[in-house]
Each structure stands twice: as C-alpha cells, then as structure tokens.
Amino acid sequence: MELVENDTAIITGAASGIGRTTAKTFANHGASVVVADVDEDGGADTVAAITENGGDATFVRTDVSDPTSVQETIETAVDEYGGLDVLFNNAAIEGPVARLEEYDDDAFEQVIDVNLKGVWYGMKYGIEAMLADDGGSIISASSIGGEVAVPQYSGYGAAKAAVGQLTKYAAIEYAEDGIRANAVAPGIVRTEMIERTIDEHPEMEEQFQNTEPMPGLADPEEIANAVLFLGSNLSSRVTGVTLPVEGGYLAQ
Ligand SMILES: NC(=O)c1ccc[n+]([C@@H]2O[C@H](COP(=O)([O-])OP(=O)(O)OC[C@H]3O[C@@H](n4cnc5c(N)ncnc54)[C@H](O)[C@@H]3O)[C@@H](O)[C@H]2O)c1
C-alpha cells in the first residue's frame, strides 16, 4: 500500500540512522524525499539506496541550526516538487554524557542549537510552505529523555522536552489550517548515535540492552513505521501528541 503517494517529504538527519531508514520507508510508500543533512557523503548514500530501488530522492545540504539553510532547503523542495506535504524534524546530536555540573557550557548550547532551534526553524519555515499549499504533517523526533529524566543527558533531554511542547503549540495554532504536528519518542534504537555512545562509554551497552521492557534495542524500521503513520492520512485525526515507540519504557 502506498501511504504517501505523490507526497513531498523533507527528512532532516537522513544521512544516517532513523532518518535514513525513514527516507527509504517514505520512498517505498510513494513519496518524493528530500534528504536534508550536513553529511554530504551519507546523504548521497541514502539517495543512492532510494533511487537504486526505483524511488525518488534528492540531497540538499542542510544545517538545521542555521535558519537560512533550513529556509533554503524548504524553498528548494517547494520549487522542485511543487509543495511540501511532510516534514520530519529528525536531525539531532547526542551531546555529552555527563552530570549537570560537569556538562560543558558550549556543548549545551550546541545541543540546544541543533536539537531545539533546529526543530523550531523547521516548523517555522515548514508551516509557511504548508500554509501556502493545502496543509501537511510535521513530525519531530523527541525521545524518552524528553518525557522523563535519563541521567547524564540534561541538555539533550531539555531540548527533547521542548520539542514536545513546540509540537503542541504547532498543533493547536494550525489545527484549522490542515496542518498536523506530532512527535515520536523512541527509547534506544540501534543507530550510529547509540554505537558512538557505546564506543565512548562501553559500560553503557548493558544498560541500553536492558532499558526497554521489551527485550533488546529497537530497529530503526520500528521508528520509521510510526513516522509513516503520523505522516500519512492513517493518522488524519491525530495532532499534538508525542507517540512513544519505546517497548513500554514509559508505561512503567
Ligand atoms: N538512536 C536512539 O536510540 C534514539 C533514541 C531517542 C531519540 N532519538 C532521536 O532520533 C533522531 C535520529 O537519531 P539517530 O539515532 O538516527 O542519530 P544518527 O546520529 O544516526 O543520525 C543523526 C543525523 O543527523 C545529522 N545531523 C546532525 N547535526 C545536524 C545538523 N546541524 N543539521 C542537519 N543534520 C544534522 C547527522 O549528520 C546524522 O546524519 C534524533 O533526533 C535522536 O535524538 C534517537
């Protein structure tokens, strides 16, 4: 079933992990995908994987922490494909793993710039494009760390909590304009982000394996499918929610 047939979807952070898998999933379901990332090589690999499979994708170098860059990417998508239907604000950095008093000030700012301001710019310019067309669906990547405190992730968690709140504002302010805004809150997903953390802090691997009540780590496909639901008409009456995709972690 092609759930997003003829839609245009911008996916930030699509050079890796959840973003790349979501880009492939949307392309498999009929969308034209704009792969937006700072990583040009990874972005090219995502585009190649989609086009080799008969899908439609373009890479646009995008730094989500730079409003001009976000605006230009959205303009490119609209110019190239005639509109914007889905925006997945997925790009983020993990930042330091450190307790609050040891958390570096510059790193905190960087985490806020990418993980919070990046989502804000995406919403701001994405909504502008969707208002000019016939609405659309915005999905943003939150985390279990945005719902409850996960020790040593204060900057990351604060940004993710704010993503949930921005999602509610966007949902309420544009409910009459055909624009829906939702978020997903993954638990621990097998991606490059988690691999980097395990490389730096090998002691955390066992903790990650045992975080979710369901055994092991999530596969990126399990998050991508939730994003596909929120990006398609299957969720036509769903707006303002942060959907947990975390094997039951938040139910405890
Ligand atoms: N992996 C997990 O366990 C997990 C858990 C909860 C939430 N998340 C969230 O899911 C999303 C994707 O995470 P992932 O695990 O796939 O990470 P990842 O590190 O594998 O991929 C992140 C991508 O974002 C890109 N990126 C970083 N800074 C950018 C910027 N300024 N502008 C544009 N692109 C930028 C990177 O180049 C990379 O391609 C993130 O928002 C993350 O916080 C991940």
Side-chain angles (χ1 to χ4, degrees):
M1 192 177 23
E2 301 207 323
L3 290 172
V4 283
E5 180 87 67
N6 297 324
D7 281 355
T8 302
I10 298 177
I11 300 180
T12 71
S16 172
I18 293 168
R20 170 178 287 167
T21 303
T22 307
K24 291 188 199 169
T25 301
F26 270 71
N28 285 342
H29 282 269
S32 298
V33 178
V34 175
V35 171
D37 204 296
V38 281
D39 174 0
E40 298 186 14
D41 292 341
D45 288 348
T46 302
V47 169
I50 290 172
T51 51
E52 280 162 17
N53 204 29
D56 184 15
T58 317
F59 174 73
V60 182
R61 191 189 182 282
T62 311
D63 178 353
V64 298
S65 67
D66 173 0
T68 308
S69 175
V70 174
Q71 199 173 10
E72 283 172 2
T73 297
I74 289 170
E75 280 170 11
T76 303
V78 170
D79 288 349
E80 196 147 321
Y81 294 108
L84 175 63
D85 303 291
V86 177
L87 169 63
F88 182 26
N89 290 313
N90 163 76
I93 53 174
E94 59 272 35
V97 178
R99 290 204 301 172
L100 229 149
E101 98 283 8
E102 289 161 352
Y103 204 106
D104 180 72
D105 291 1
D106 291 341
F108 182 84
E109 270 186 43
Q110 211 189 347
V111 166
I112 296 297
D113 283 349
V114 177
N115 299 12
L116 174 53
K117 289 189 188 170
V119 171
W120 159 258
Y121 298 137
M123 285 185 176
K124 182 169 179 169
Y125 298 114
I127 286 168
E128 195 176 78
M130 288 175 180
L131 283 175
D133 205 353
D134 57 352
S137 174
I138 298 176
I139 306 106
S140 302
S142 180
S143 164
I144 52 172
E147 301 292 311
V148 297
V150 176
Q152 307 200 87
Y153 279 95
S154 56
Y156 180 89
K160 295 299 189 184
V163 165
Q165 192 68 354
L166 276 181
T167 295
K168 290 184 187 173
Y169 273 90
I172 295 306
E173 291 183 4
Y174 297 96
E176 292 182 359
D177 298 296
I179 298 174
R180 297 185 296 111
N182 294 290
V184 285
I188 314 289
V189 192
R190 195 178 305 284
T191 68
E192 289 80 341
M193 182 181 275
I194 288 297
E195 279 165 17
R196 277 192 301 274
T197 305
I198 291 172
D199 282 350
E200 276 180 43
H201 306 274
E203 73 284 1
M204 293 181 76
E205 182 165 11
E206 197 187 339
Q207 181 192 322
F208 284 153
Q209 286 289 346
N210 295 312
T211 296
E212 301 188 3
M214 288 175 75
L217 274 55
D219 284 325
E221 286 78 7
E222 296 179 289
I223 316 304
N225 287 336
V227 178
L228 179 65
F229 165 70
L230 293 171
S232 77
N233 279 335
L234 284 181
S235 61
S236 55
R237 199 74 182 171
V238 180
T239 197
V241 307
T242 295
L243 176 64
V245 192
E246 34 55 291
Y249 178 81
L250 295 170
Q252 298 173 107

